[in-house]
């Protein structure tokens, strides 16, 4: 995006790219959307893409690739071992982070599996600013536990703090003093907290956590999957960083962390993942698990074509215009909703626009899966697929009781270089209508509930006939319009 002044003083993010390949979209009539969401167990993950107008479920693997990425895929070296594609990716990682060793994997959660297998033992603890669903599952599967130590502002939807993803150093120090440094498997910072609104972490907080970990002999791990957006916020919000080249920031992160891992589906805009380190011992601790779980050390379960695309994507991430596109569109989206009274997480973060479902549907409680109900309602009235980021995304306690999420959010993700401003305006319009008719939306209950990762493929049903009432109200106001 570019900071271009409009003669009419309108504030609109201007795309610094053009679309050269397009994909046809479908917008079903609302009665078909009703049937589809019910057949899908009121779970947006189970919707078929053919039944969706705008897919805002995630930016994972759905970002648009650049012409240079597509061109690079044609030079891929298909060698099983010693592929030139691996060495080009290793060079790109070293250019960005200054790291010496690369362990490739097929995606980000595969990296989490390697980390958990190498370092998490029964009874060990992993402090982190905030958990991600798959991260927590891998850690608990190995017998460890997660402790969240995000600053208090991070859980305050209305806080204006610029870096709500920061670790609370006092909480970290207290936890380590209580548990003992030997019991800490590693400290993890997610560079852009997924489950609390895509909120960023400051460079100074990375420095402070790194210094503390090194003083205690504790491994420090950065999840850089959402680093693209986080870099933008460091560049625009943090004092002293506005004129700092992005590469200087990423190189410093590489020095601060013992291990960096990322999902290439997000960072790099292609399908793969990687673990990076300059610590020989860490490299050897994890290396043996790559051929066991992923593939040989020079492809790690990734297509070499994807390796080529990620390498180019990493270089592109060091361009401010590239990384600005998604956060600026998200900010515009969030502002448009806010002006209509719709409660959103502020300040606008990365990844997507996050709607505060608790305030949107104040008549529902968390036992009715507020954010999940809102996700189903939004699809019903618009054909737009979002993702529940609330209690449905949590896992039950060992005794079977429900663990209620700190926030009930509906995330409407903005993949990079995918949506137009007119499409965003359409979503705003349908959300504004739904907000005026929010009293019609009811809750959900599980009818099929998996024990692990239930939000992926669990099935739910409405607690009443609220879906039919919402369809009738939509027809009353929109007539034959889709």
């Amino acid at each position: 995006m570019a900071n271009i002044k409009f003669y009419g003083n309108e504030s609109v993010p201007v795309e610094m790219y053009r679309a050269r390949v397009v994909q046809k979209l479908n917008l079903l009539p609302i009665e078909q959307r009703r049937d589809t969401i019910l057949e899908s167990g009121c779970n947006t993950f189970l919707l078929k893409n053919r039944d969706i107008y705008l897919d805002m479920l995630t930016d994972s693997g759905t970002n648009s690739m650049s012409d240079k990425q597509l061109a690079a895929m044609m030079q891929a070296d298909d060698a099983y071992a010693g592929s030139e594609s691996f060495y080009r990716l290793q060079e790109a990682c070293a250019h960005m982070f200054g790291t010496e060793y690369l362990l490739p994997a097929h995606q980000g959660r595969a990296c989490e599996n390697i980390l958990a297998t190498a370092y998490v033992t029964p009874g060990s603890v992993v402090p982190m600013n905030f958990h991600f669903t798959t991260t927590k599952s891998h850690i608990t599967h190995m017998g460890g536990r997660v402790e969240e130590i995000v600053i208090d502002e991070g859980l305050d939807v209305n806080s204006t703090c610029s870096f709500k993803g920061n670790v609370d150093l006092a909480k970290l120090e207290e936890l380590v003093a209580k548990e003992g440094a030997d019991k800490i498997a590693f400290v993890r910072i997610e560079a852009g907290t997924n489950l609390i609104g895509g909120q960023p972490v400051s460079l100074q907080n990375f420095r402070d956590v790194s210094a503390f970990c090194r003083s205690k002999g504790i491994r420090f791990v950065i999840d850089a999957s959402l680093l693209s957006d986080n870099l933008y916020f460091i560049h625009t919000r943090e004092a002293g960083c506005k004129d700092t080249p992005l590469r200087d920031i990423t190189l410093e992160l590489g020095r601060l962390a013992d291990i960096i891992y990322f999902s290439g589906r997000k960072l790099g805009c292609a399908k793969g993942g990687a673990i990076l380190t300059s610590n020989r011992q860490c490299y050897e601790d994890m290396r043996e698990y790559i051929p066991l779980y992923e593939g040989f050390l020079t492809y790690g379960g990734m297509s070499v074509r994807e390796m080529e695309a990620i390498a180019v994507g990493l270089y592109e991430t060091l361009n401010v215009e590239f990384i600005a596109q998604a956060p600026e569109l998200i900010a515009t989206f969030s502002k448009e909703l806010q002006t209509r009274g719709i409660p959103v997480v502020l300040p606008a973060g990365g990844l997507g626009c996050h709607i505060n479902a608790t305030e949107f549907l104040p008549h529902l409680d968390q036992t009715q899966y507020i954010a999940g109900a809102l996700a189903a309602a939004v699809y019903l009235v618009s054909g737009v697929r979002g993702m529940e980021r609330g209690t449905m995304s949590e896992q039950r306690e060992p005794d079977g009781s429900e663990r209620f999420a700190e926030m009930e959010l509906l995330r409407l993700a903005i993949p990079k270089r995918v949506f137009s401003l007119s499409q965003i305006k359409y979503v705003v319009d349908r959300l504004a209508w739904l907000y005026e008719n929010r009293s019609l939306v009811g809750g959900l209950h599980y009818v099929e509930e998996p024990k692990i990762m239930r939000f992926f493929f669990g099935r739910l049903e409405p607690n009443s006939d609220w879906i039919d009432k919402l369809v009738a109200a939509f027809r009353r106001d929109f007539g034959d319009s889709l």
Side-chain angles (χ1 to χ4, degrees):
M1 314 300 270
N3 184 20
I4 296 174
K5 185 176 181 179
F6 277 65
Y7 178 69
N9 293 322
E10 187 177 8
S11 178
V12 177
V14 178
E15 295 85 354
M16 298 303 291
Y17 59 88
R18 59 175 176 162
R20 298 179 65 187
V21 177
V22 296
Q23 179 181 13
K24 186 181 182 302
L25 299 175
N26 298 313
L27 180 54
L28 303 177
I30 190 168
E31 286 80 9
Q32 290 186 38
R33 298 199 297 264
R34 174 195 59 203
D35 295 343
T36 297
I37 194 64
L38 291 172
E39 289 168 2
S40 301
C42 293
N43 184 346
T44 56
F45 271 97
L46 300 182
L47 290 168
K48 296 181 176 68
N49 195 47
R50 70 179 75 132
D51 299 326
I52 295 163
Y53 173 45
L54 302 177
D55 193 357
M56 295 182 166
L57 186 78
T58 182
D59 69 336
S60 183
T62 61
N63 297 297
S64 293
M65 287 198 292
S66 69
D67 51 355
K68 290 181 172 60
Q69 286 183 289
L70 291 170
M73 294 174 81
M74 300 306 293
Q75 67 174 347
D77 176 7
D78 280 314
Y80 183 93
S83 167
E84 287 300 315
S85 298
F86 169 84
Y87 293 108
R88 280 190 280 269
L89 177 58
Q90 186 178 53
E91 182 179 348
C93 292
H95 176 82
M96 187 169 188
F97 295 108
T99 47
E100 184 175 355
Y101 303 109
L102 162 65
L103 294 171
H106 75 275
Q107 64 182 88
R109 72 193 52 177
C111 300
E112 293 171 345
N113 176 51
I114 301 296
L115 276 165
T117 303
Y119 295 120
V120 178
T121 56
S124 63
V125 180
V126 180
M128 56 183 69
N129 51 350
F130 208 79
H131 80 278
F132 182 59
T133 52
T134 56
T135 323
K136 185 174 182 178
S137 293
H138 284 301
I139 290 166
T140 57
H141 181 68
M142 297 303 296
R145 81 172 193 272
V146 166
E147 290 288 344
E148 292 163 349
I149 49 173
V150 71
I151 58 174
D152 293 342
E153 293 89 338
L155 301 179
D156 180 356
V157 174
N158 299 312
S159 168
T160 59
C161 176
S162 296
F163 292 99
K164 293 163 74 171
N166 279 359
V167 164
D168 187 316
L169 267 294
K171 292 179 183 177
L172 176 58
E173 291 172 2
E174 182 181 353
L175 179 64
V176 172
K178 176 184 175 182
E179 300 290 344
D182 292 344
K183 198 174 178 182
I184 307 298
F186 52 85
V187 172
R188 169 187 174 270
I189 287 185
E190 186 177 14
T193 45
N194 195 310
L195 294 183
I196 57 173
Q199 295 298 311
V201 180
S202 70
L203 181 58
Q204 187 58 52
N205 195 242
F206 283 113
R207 292 167 177 159
D208 294 341
V209 173
S210 176
F212 174 80
C213 288
R214 287 183 176 166
S215 73
K216 301 293 183 180
I218 298 172
R219 297 178 201 89
F220 177 37
V221 175
I222 295 176
D223 177 351
S225 301
L226 298 174
L227 182 61
S228 173
D229 292 344
N230 206 121
L231 276 177
Y232 170 80
F233 293 122
I234 290 174
H235 180 73
T236 57
R237 295 180 184 177
E238 190 162 1
C241 291
K242 185 174 183 179
D243 296 323
T244 303
L246 297 182
R247 184 172 177 239
D248 287 358
I249 298 172
T250 57
L251 286 172
E252 183 171 356
L253 293 176
R255 292 191 294 270
L256 293 173
D258 296 298
I259 298 168
I260 292 176
Y261 75 93
F262 65 88
S263 167
R265 289 170 169 262
K266 296 181 181 291
L267 183 68
C269 298
K271 298 175 178 65
I275 303 173
L276 313 174
T277 185
S278 293
N279 184 306
R280 180 70 188 184
Q281 185 59 56
C282 289
Y283 173 72
E284 292 178 354
D285 289 344
M286 296 180 285
R287 178 177 58 183
E288 63 190 72
Y289 297 114
I290 298 297
L292 180 62
Y293 293 122
E294 298 297 305
F296 190 69
L297 287 171
T298 52
Y299 79 93
M302 253 195 286
S303 157
V304 288
R305 289 162 181 78
E306 302 290 349
M307 281 185 165
E308 298 282 4
I310 291 173
V312 173
L314 293 180
Y315 289 115
E316 292 178 339
T317 300
L318 298 176
N319 181 297
V320 174
E321 281 188 355
F322 170 79
I323 67 168
Q325 188 269 336
E328 290 184 4
L329 192 56
I330 292 165
T332 299
F333 190 4
S334 300
K335 182 179 179 180
E336 289 289 319
L337 292 176
Q338 188 184 17
T339 59
R340 290 159 175 79
I342 297 172
V344 295
V345 175
L346 296 173
L351 185 57
C353 178
H354 292 78
I355 299 173
N356 182 356
T358 302
E359 290 187 18
F360 197 109
L361 302 174
H363 55 286
L364 299 184
D365 61 52
Q366 288 185 285
T367 63
Q368 297 171 294
Y369 303 114
I370 306 171
L374 182 57
V378 167
Y379 171 76
L380 184 68
V381 304
S382 67
V384 174
R385 172 161 69 170
M387 185 187 293
E388 188 272 359
R389 299 278 73 168
T391 296
M392 274 177 59
S393 294
E394 296 290 343
Q395 58 189 42
R396 289 186 180 270
E397 302 290 1
D399 64 2
S401 62
E402 192 74 80
R403 185 191 188 282
F404 295 115
E406 285 83 357
M407 294 181 176
E408 293 287 344
L409 304 179
L410 170 62
R411 186 184 77 197
L412 298 172
I414 303 295
K416 297 173 180 64
R417 301 172 292 197
V418 171
F419 296 125
S420 69
L421 194 57
S422 67
Q423 291 170 327
I424 297 299
K425 286 183 175 292
Y426 166 82
V427 183
V428 170
D429 180 80
R430 290 301 187 261
L431 284 169
W433 181 88
L434 181 61
Y435 189 60
E436 290 188 5
N437 292 273
R438 60 191 180 278
S439 62
L440 296 177
V441 180
L444 302 172
H445 64 271
Y446 270 105
V447 291
E448 294 181 22
E449 183 179 352
K451 291 182 179 180
I452 299 175
M453 310 297 282
R454 62 182 183 174
F455 68 94
F456 273 142
F457 44 92
R459 303 181 70 85
L460 303 95
E461 287 182 352
N463 290 340
S464 66
D465 62 348
W466 65 265
I467 285 183
D468 289 329
K469 290 179 179 177
L470 203 57
V471 171
F474 184 93
R475 274 296 181 196
R476 178 196 66 215
D477 290 349
F478 288 96
D480 290 333
S481 169
L482 293 173

